[in-house]
C-alpha cells in the first residue's frame, strides 16, 4: 500500500498540470491558391478477379485499364503495364530492388 500511493500521485501529476488556462486551437488556414479539391475520378479503380490458378487486380483510371497485377498461386506476383496507352501490356519490374554494385575500399591513407 505504501508503494501504491506514490505511484498514484505521480500518475496524477499530468492531470493537475492541465488545469491551467486552456485555450481553443486556432482555425485551420485555407489551402494555398492553386490546390484543387480531391477528385475521385483521378483515383484508380481496382477490380479483383480470383481464379483457381491466379488472382488478378485490374487498375483503371477513368475506365481505362492501365495496369494488371497477377498473383499466381505458386510463384511471385508480376505486373503488366500499358506504358503507351495502346492496349499492349508489357511486363514491368515494379517489385525489383535497384541494383547495388559492390563497393570495397581499395586503398586509404
Amino acid at each position: 500500500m505504501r508503494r501504491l500511493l506514490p505511484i498514484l500521485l505521480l500518475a496524477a501529476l499530468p492531470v493537475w498540470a492541465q488545469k491551467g488556462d486552456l485555450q481553443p486551437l486556432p482555425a485551420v488556414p485555407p489551402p494555398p491558391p492553386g490546390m484543387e479539391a480531391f477528385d475521385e475520378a483521378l483515383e484508380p479503380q481496382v477490380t479483383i478477379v480470383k481464379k483457381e490458378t491466379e488472382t488478378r487486380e485490374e487498375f483503371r483510371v477513368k475506365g481505362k485499364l492501365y495496369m494488371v497485377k497477377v498473383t499466381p498461386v505458386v510463384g511471385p506476383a508480376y505486373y503488366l503495364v500499358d506504358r503507351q496507352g495502346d492496349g499492349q501490356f508489357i511486363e514491368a519490374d515494379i517489385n525489383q530492388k535497384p541494383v547495388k554494385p559492390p563497393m570495397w575500399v581499395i586503398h586509404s591513407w
Side-chain angles (χ1 to χ4, degrees):
M1 184 70 171
R2 287 184 178 176
R3 292 182 184 174
L4 184 61
L5 185 60
I7 292 173
L8 288 175
L9 289 175
L10 284 174
L13 282 176
V15 175
W16 287 328
Q18 290 182 358
K19 297 220 177 193
D21 255 350
L22 297 178
Q23 297 177 2
L25 293 173
V28 177
M35 282 192 69
E36 300 174 4
F38 177 73
D39 188 9
E40 275 192 42
L42 297 177
E43 286 293 310
Q45 297 171 322
V46 181
T47 305
I48 300 174
V49 179
K50 293 186 178 185
K51 293 185 176 181
E52 290 179 13
T53 59
E54 66 185 16
T55 301
R56 276 193 337 249
E57 297 176 38
E58 300 174 349
F59 296 85
R60 291 180 171 80
V61 170
K62 295 183 180 178
K64 184 165 174 73
L65 181 66
Y66 71 93
M67 182 172 69
V68 178
K69 177 183 177 185
V70 181
T71 309
V73 175
V74 178
Y78 59 93
Y79 291 83
L80 301 173
V81 180
D82 184 9
R83 295 195 186 270
Q84 297 176 354
D86 58 359
Q88 299 292 325
F89 287 87
I90 302 169
E91 188 170 352
D93 296 330
I94 294 176
N95 285 338
Q96 289 193 358
K97 298 174 185 168
V99 175
K100 294 182 180 178
M103 296 184 192
W104 296 283
V105 177
I106 294 175
H107 181 69
S108 64
W109 61 94

